[in-house]
Amino acid sequence: MMKLDVNHANLKEDIFSYQEKINKLHQAIMNQTGAGNDFMGWVHWAKNYDRDEFAQIKEVAAKVKDKAEVLVVCGIGGSYLGARAAIEMIQGLYSDNKTEVIFIGNTFSSTYVAQVLKYIDNKSVVLNVISKSGTTTETALSFRLLKEFMEKKYGKEECKTRIIATTDKQRGTLKTLSNQEGYKTFVIPDNIGGRFSVITSVGLVPMAIMGIDIDEVYDGLVKAYEELNTANLHDNPAYQYAVSRRILQNQGYNVEMFVTYEPQLAMLAEWWKQLLGESEGKDGRGILPDSANFSTDLHSLGQFIQEGKKVLFETILHVNQPQKEVLVPYDEQNLDGMNYLSGKSVDWINKMAEQGTLEAHAEVGKVPNVVISIEDMSAYSFGYLCYFFFLATAMTCYMIDVNPFNQPGVEVYKANMFRLLGKPVK
C-alpha cells in the first residue's frame, strides 16, 4: 500500500540504529502514556469509533445532499483543512459532483466573506459549522453572518434541516445554540485535537455530504492501524519517516518541503503543514514545514532548491495511478515540436518530470529527498495517509521531547488581537 524510499536522502546515520529508542516511544504512543496523552484518542480510533454516530452521519448526508446545491463548511484550522484536503484529493478540483463546497470561517477578509454571501444568495445552501467551543473568532464571526443569511433565506424552521453543527458533546456556545435552535449536531471528541480530527465527524460530515464513501476512508484507516501498529522499524514506514526527519535535522536541514505533483493534493499539503507545524514547533525546536506543487513551482522555487542555500530537504508524495488519463494527440504541422510525445499519456510525462527533478535535486543539487509512495488518490488512500502521518508526527515529536498535542504559542497573537479589538475581559 505505502512505501518509503530514503535512497536519495543522503542520511548520515542508520535509521535502524534508533530501534531501541523507537521501542520505548512506540509503547508510550500505543499505551497513550506520553506527553499530551489526554489528546491521543486518535491512536485506537480505528477500532473504538462511535459506530452509531458514523451511521447517523451517512443518514444525514443522504437526506441533505439533494438540497445542497452548495455545502458551506464554516471552520478554521483542523476544523476545515482535513475535510478540504480529503474532498480535493479524492474528487479532484473540477469533479462531476452536483454539490459545490465552499469553505468559510477561516479568514477575517471582508472581501472574501462578502463575495461568498453574494455567491450563495440564489443557491440552495446547506451549512456545516464546525467548532469545539463556538467562540473561535474567525468561525464565530462568519457563522453569525451565515446564520442571519440562512434565517432570512429559509426561516428558522427550515434552518433546522439545513444547518448542521459539529461541536462539543455537552457544553460550549455552539452546543447551547444548537440545542436552542434545533440543529442536528455531531460530536468533536474531547480526546482528539483539531489537527488530528479529520477522521472524526469533523471531517466525515463534509466528506459524506460531498458524496465520498466514508466506509472506504475507514477501510484505509483501519488497514494503516493494523499494519503500522508495530515498533519494528523494518516493518513501519511511518516510523522510518519520523526517524529520517530527525536524522536530516541533525545534519543541519531545518526546513522540510512537502512536494506533490498533482494540483488536487495542494490542500493535503496545507493539512500536513498544520499537523507538523503545530505539533512540533515548540521550545525553539522542530522543522519548518513548507510545501510546493511541481512542476508548477519548479518555475518559481526550482532555482533556489537546486542552487540556493542548503537549508531544506524534500519529502515527495508519489502517486502511482492518476484518477484520469489524457493522451497527447499527433499534429500534422508540429509547430510546437511536441510530436515526439504524441501517443504518450500526460501522467507518464508528469512522472518523467518527477524522476528528472529527483535526479537533479538529489544528485546534482545535493538536496536530500525522501519519497513516500501511495497507490492512488482514493478515499482508501486518504484514510491510510491520515494514520500514517498521525503516527509519524507523534513519534518524530517524542524523539525530541516535544508534546505533539498542544499549541501554547498560538495564544500570544490571540491575546494581542483581543486587546486591540477591545474584547471585554472576564
PDB file of all heavy atoms in Angstrom, residues 33 39 46 70 84 134 182 184 201 210 240 265 310 334 363 366 373 384 417:
ATOM      1  N   THR A  33       0.577   6.990  27.048  1.00  0.00           N
ATOM      2  CA  THR A  33       1.197   7.446  28.296  1.00  0.00           C
ATOM      3  C   THR A  33       2.187   8.582  28.075  1.00  0.00           C
ATOM      4  O   THR A  33       2.790   9.069  29.027  1.00  0.00           O
ATOM      5  CB  THR A  33       1.934   6.278  28.982  1.00  0.00           C
ATOM      6  OG1 THR A  33       2.903   5.728  28.079  1.00  0.00           O
ATOM      7  CG2 THR A  33       0.956   5.192  29.401  1.00  0.00           C
ATOM      8  N   PHE A  39      -5.002  13.820  24.619  1.00  0.00           N
ATOM      9  CA  PHE A  39      -5.454  14.053  23.243  1.00  0.00           C
ATOM     10  C   PHE A  39      -4.952  12.969  22.288  1.00  0.00           C
ATOM     11  O   PHE A  39      -4.670  13.238  21.124  1.00  0.00           O
ATOM     12  CB  PHE A  39      -4.990  15.432  22.767  1.00  0.00           C
ATOM     13  CG  PHE A  39      -5.631  16.553  23.519  1.00  0.00           C
ATOM     14  CD1 PHE A  39      -4.988  17.140  24.606  1.00  0.00           C
ATOM     15  CD2 PHE A  39      -6.890  17.010  23.174  1.00  0.00           C
ATOM     16  CE1 PHE A  39      -5.589  18.170  25.324  1.00  0.00           C
ATOM     17  CE2 PHE A  39      -7.496  18.040  23.888  1.00  0.00           C
ATOM     18  CZ  PHE A  39      -6.848  18.617  24.963  1.00  0.00           C
ATOM     19  N   ALA A  46      -9.527   3.831  15.120  1.00  0.00           N
ATOM     20  CA  ALA A  46      -9.944   2.935  14.039  1.00  0.00           C
ATOM     21  C   ALA A  46     -10.762   1.752  14.556  1.00  0.00           C
ATOM     22  O   ALA A  46     -11.584   1.196  13.818  1.00  0.00           O
ATOM     23  CB  ALA A  46      -8.722   2.430  13.280  1.00  0.00           C
ATOM     24  N   VAL A  70     -25.042  23.975  -2.757  1.00  0.00           N
ATOM     25  CA  VAL A  70     -23.770  24.400  -2.197  1.00  0.00           C
ATOM     26  C   VAL A  70     -23.694  23.936  -0.743  1.00  0.00           C
ATOM     27  O   VAL A  70     -24.631  24.163   0.030  1.00  0.00           O
ATOM     28  CB  VAL A  70     -23.590  25.937  -2.241  1.00  0.00           C
ATOM     29  CG1 VAL A  70     -22.306  26.353  -1.535  1.00  0.00           C
ATOM     30  CG2 VAL A  70     -23.583  26.435  -3.676  1.00  0.00           C
ATOM     31  N   ARG A  84     -11.200  19.590   3.609  1.00  0.00           N
ATOM     32  CA  ARG A  84     -10.895  20.134   2.284  1.00  0.00           C
ATOM     33  C   ARG A  84      -9.824  19.301   1.586  1.00  0.00           C
ATOM     34  O   ARG A  84      -9.915  19.033   0.380  1.00  0.00           O
ATOM     35  CB  ARG A  84     -10.441  21.588   2.407  1.00  0.00           C
ATOM     36  CG  ARG A  84     -10.210  22.249   1.057  1.00  0.00           C
ATOM     37  CD  ARG A  84     -10.043  23.744   1.148  1.00  0.00           C
ATOM     38  NE  ARG A  84      -9.851  24.324  -0.165  1.00  0.00           N
ATOM     39  CZ  ARG A  84      -9.683  25.620  -0.400  1.00  0.00           C
ATOM     40  NH1 ARG A  84      -9.700  26.485   0.611  1.00  0.00           N
ATOM     41  NH2 ARG A  84      -9.506  26.055  -1.628  1.00  0.00           N
ATOM     42  N   GLY A 134     -17.300  27.063  19.824  1.00  0.00           N
ATOM     43  CA  GLY A 134     -18.244  28.008  19.227  1.00  0.00           C
ATOM     44  C   GLY A 134     -17.790  29.439  19.357  1.00  0.00           C
ATOM     45  O   GLY A 134     -18.486  30.360  18.918  1.00  0.00           O
ATOM     46  N   GLY A 182     -32.441  23.812  17.484  1.00  0.00           N
ATOM     47  CA  GLY A 182     -32.864  22.523  16.951  1.00  0.00           C
ATOM     48  C   GLY A 182     -32.002  21.993  15.821  1.00  0.00           C
ATOM     49  O   GLY A 182     -32.466  21.184  15.001  1.00  0.00           O
ATOM     50  N   LYS A 184     -29.197  19.722  13.990  1.00  0.00           N
ATOM     51  CA  LYS A 184     -28.586  18.402  14.153  1.00  0.00           C
ATOM     52  C   LYS A 184     -27.129  18.601  14.546  1.00  0.00           C
ATOM     53  O   LYS A 184     -26.422  19.422  13.944  1.00  0.00           O
ATOM     54  CB  LYS A 184     -28.677  17.597  12.852  1.00  0.00           C
ATOM     55  CG  LYS A 184     -27.954  16.252  12.897  1.00  0.00           C
ATOM     56  CD  LYS A 184     -28.553  15.307  13.919  1.00  0.00           C
ATOM     57  CE  LYS A 184     -27.808  13.982  13.955  1.00  0.00           C
ATOM     58  NZ  LYS A 184     -28.323  13.079  15.014  1.00  0.00           N
ATOM     59  N   SER A 201     -16.146  13.135  13.137  1.00  0.00           N
ATOM     60  CA  SER A 201     -17.246  13.842  12.467  1.00  0.00           C
ATOM     61  C   SER A 201     -16.793  15.161  11.856  1.00  0.00           C
ATOM     62  O   SER A 201     -17.422  15.661  10.916  1.00  0.00           O
ATOM     63  CB  SER A 201     -18.383  14.087  13.457  1.00  0.00           C
ATOM     64  OG  SER A 201     -17.947  14.884  14.547  1.00  0.00           O
ATOM     65  N   MET A 210     -20.558  15.481   0.535  1.00  0.00           N
ATOM     66  CA  MET A 210     -19.987  15.641  -0.799  1.00  0.00           C
ATOM     67  C   MET A 210     -19.935  14.327  -1.577  1.00  0.00           C
ATOM     68  O   MET A 210     -19.404  14.273  -2.686  1.00  0.00           O
ATOM     69  CB  MET A 210     -18.589  16.253  -0.692  1.00  0.00           C
ATOM     70  CG  MET A 210     -18.593  17.713  -0.270  1.00  0.00           C
ATOM     71  SD  MET A 210     -19.531  18.784  -1.394  1.00  0.00           S
ATOM     72  CE  MET A 210     -18.519  18.695  -2.872  1.00  0.00           C
ATOM     73  N   GLN A 240       9.951   4.998  10.092  1.00  0.00           N
ATOM     74  CA  GLN A 240      11.128   5.267   9.276  1.00  0.00           C
ATOM     75  C   GLN A 240      11.142   6.746   8.847  1.00  0.00           C
ATOM     76  O   GLN A 240      12.180   7.404   8.881  1.00  0.00           O
ATOM     77  CB  GLN A 240      11.138   4.374   8.042  1.00  0.00           C
ATOM     78  CG  GLN A 240      11.375   2.901   8.314  1.00  0.00           C
ATOM     79  CD  GLN A 240      11.267   2.073   7.049  1.00  0.00           C
ATOM     80  OE1 GLN A 240      11.440   2.573   5.935  1.00  0.00           O
ATOM     81  NE2 GLN A 240      10.965   0.800   7.209  1.00  0.00           N
ATOM     82  N   LEU A 265      -3.685  17.815  -4.683  1.00  0.00           N
ATOM     83  CA  LEU A 265      -3.057  17.485  -3.401  1.00  0.00           C
ATOM     84  C   LEU A 265      -2.532  18.727  -2.683  1.00  0.00           C
ATOM     85  O   LEU A 265      -1.905  18.607  -1.624  1.00  0.00           O
ATOM     86  CB  LEU A 265      -1.914  16.489  -3.610  1.00  0.00           C
ATOM     87  CG  LEU A 265      -2.314  15.116  -4.152  1.00  0.00           C
ATOM     88  CD1 LEU A 265      -1.078  14.254  -4.364  1.00  0.00           C
ATOM     89  CD2 LEU A 265      -3.302  14.412  -3.220  1.00  0.00           C
ATOM     90  N   LYS A 310      21.615  25.432   1.315  1.00  0.00           N
ATOM     91  CA  LYS A 310      21.146  24.066   1.592  1.00  0.00           C
ATOM     92  C   LYS A 310      20.513  23.984   2.981  1.00  0.00           C
ATOM     93  O   LYS A 310      21.087  23.471   3.932  1.00  0.00           O
ATOM     94  CB  LYS A 310      22.299  23.075   1.454  1.00  0.00           C
ATOM     95  CG  LYS A 310      22.958  23.073   0.082  1.00  0.00           C
ATOM     96  CD  LYS A 310      21.924  22.885  -1.038  1.00  0.00           C
ATOM     97  CE  LYS A 310      22.562  23.002  -2.410  1.00  0.00           C
ATOM     98  NZ  LYS A 310      21.554  22.992  -3.492  1.00  0.00           N
ATOM     99  N   ASN A 334       3.010  20.222 -36.420  1.00  0.00           N
ATOM    100  CA  ASN A 334       4.012  20.087 -35.343  1.00  0.00           C
ATOM    101  C   ASN A 334       4.790  21.380 -35.102  1.00  0.00           C
ATOM    102  O   ASN A 334       6.016  21.380 -34.904  1.00  0.00           O
ATOM    103  CB  ASN A 334       4.991  18.940 -35.665  1.00  0.00           C
ATOM    104  CG  ASN A 334       5.809  18.535 -34.448  1.00  0.00           C
ATOM    105  OD1 ASN A 334       5.348  18.616 -33.307  1.00  0.00           O
ATOM    106  ND2 ASN A 334       7.037  18.100 -34.691  1.00  0.00           N
ATOM    107  N   GLU A 363      20.929  14.406  -6.817  1.00  0.00           N
ATOM    108  CA  GLU A 363      22.262  14.026  -7.267  1.00  0.00           C
ATOM    109  C   GLU A 363      23.138  15.227  -7.619  1.00  0.00           C
ATOM    110  O   GLU A 363      24.315  15.269  -7.255  1.00  0.00           O
ATOM    111  CB  GLU A 363      22.144  13.091  -8.477  1.00  0.00           C
ATOM    112  CG  GLU A 363      21.451  11.769  -8.130  1.00  0.00           C
ATOM    113  CD  GLU A 363      21.248  10.872  -9.336  1.00  0.00           C
ATOM    114  OE1 GLU A 363      21.912  11.121 -10.381  1.00  0.00           O
ATOM    115  OE2 GLU A 363      20.436   9.933  -9.250  1.00  0.00           O
ATOM    116  N   LYS A 366      22.397  18.081  -4.483  1.00  0.00           N
ATOM    117  CA  LYS A 366      22.708  17.540  -3.149  1.00  0.00           C
ATOM    118  C   LYS A 366      21.640  17.907  -2.115  1.00  0.00           C
ATOM    119  O   LYS A 366      21.942  18.174  -0.956  1.00  0.00           O
ATOM    120  CB  LYS A 366      24.088  18.010  -2.674  1.00  0.00           C
ATOM    121  CG  LYS A 366      25.225  17.693  -3.628  1.00  0.00           C
ATOM    122  CD  LYS A 366      25.321  16.205  -3.927  1.00  0.00           C
ATOM    123  CE  LYS A 366      26.467  15.901  -4.898  1.00  0.00           C
ATOM    124  NZ  LYS A 366      26.506  14.455  -5.286  1.00  0.00           N
ATOM    125  N   SER A 373       5.406   6.774  -1.349  1.00  0.00           N
ATOM    126  CA  SER A 373       4.593   6.350  -2.495  1.00  0.00           C
ATOM    127  C   SER A 373       3.263   5.774  -2.030  1.00  0.00           C
ATOM    128  O   SER A 373       3.215   4.941  -1.123  1.00  0.00           O
ATOM    129  CB  SER A 373       5.334   5.282  -3.314  1.00  0.00           C
ATOM    130  OG  SER A 373       6.497   5.812  -3.900  1.00  0.00           O
ATOM    131  N   TYR A 384      -5.669   5.892   4.860  1.00  0.00           N
ATOM    132  CA  TYR A 384      -4.381   5.303   5.222  1.00  0.00           C
ATOM    133  C   TYR A 384      -3.361   6.405   5.520  1.00  0.00           C
ATOM    134  O   TYR A 384      -2.632   6.343   6.522  1.00  0.00           O
ATOM    135  CB  TYR A 384      -3.880   4.421   4.086  1.00  0.00           C
ATOM    136  CG  TYR A 384      -2.779   3.455   4.493  1.00  0.00           C
ATOM    137  CD1 TYR A 384      -3.047   2.109   4.686  1.00  0.00           C
ATOM    138  CD2 TYR A 384      -1.472   3.890   4.678  1.00  0.00           C
ATOM    139  CE1 TYR A 384      -2.048   1.211   5.062  1.00  0.00           C
ATOM    140  CE2 TYR A 384      -0.465   3.018   5.057  1.00  0.00           C
ATOM    141  CZ  TYR A 384      -0.755   1.685   5.240  1.00  0.00           C
ATOM    142  OH  TYR A 384       0.237   0.807   5.621  1.00  0.00           O
ATOM    143  N   MET A 417      -4.580  40.413  19.679  1.00  0.00           N
ATOM    144  CA  MET A 417      -5.707  40.756  18.817  1.00  0.00           C
ATOM    145  C   MET A 417      -6.922  41.168  19.643  1.00  0.00           C
ATOM    146  O   MET A 417      -7.576  42.182  19.346  1.00  0.00           O
ATOM    147  CB  MET A 417      -6.053  39.566  17.922  1.00  0.00           C
ATOM    148  CG  MET A 417      -7.256  39.793  17.021  1.00  0.00           C
ATOM    149  SD  MET A 417      -7.670  38.341  16.025  1.00  0.00           S
ATOM    150  CE  MET A 417      -8.298  37.219  17.290  1.00  0.00           C
TER     151      MET A 417
END
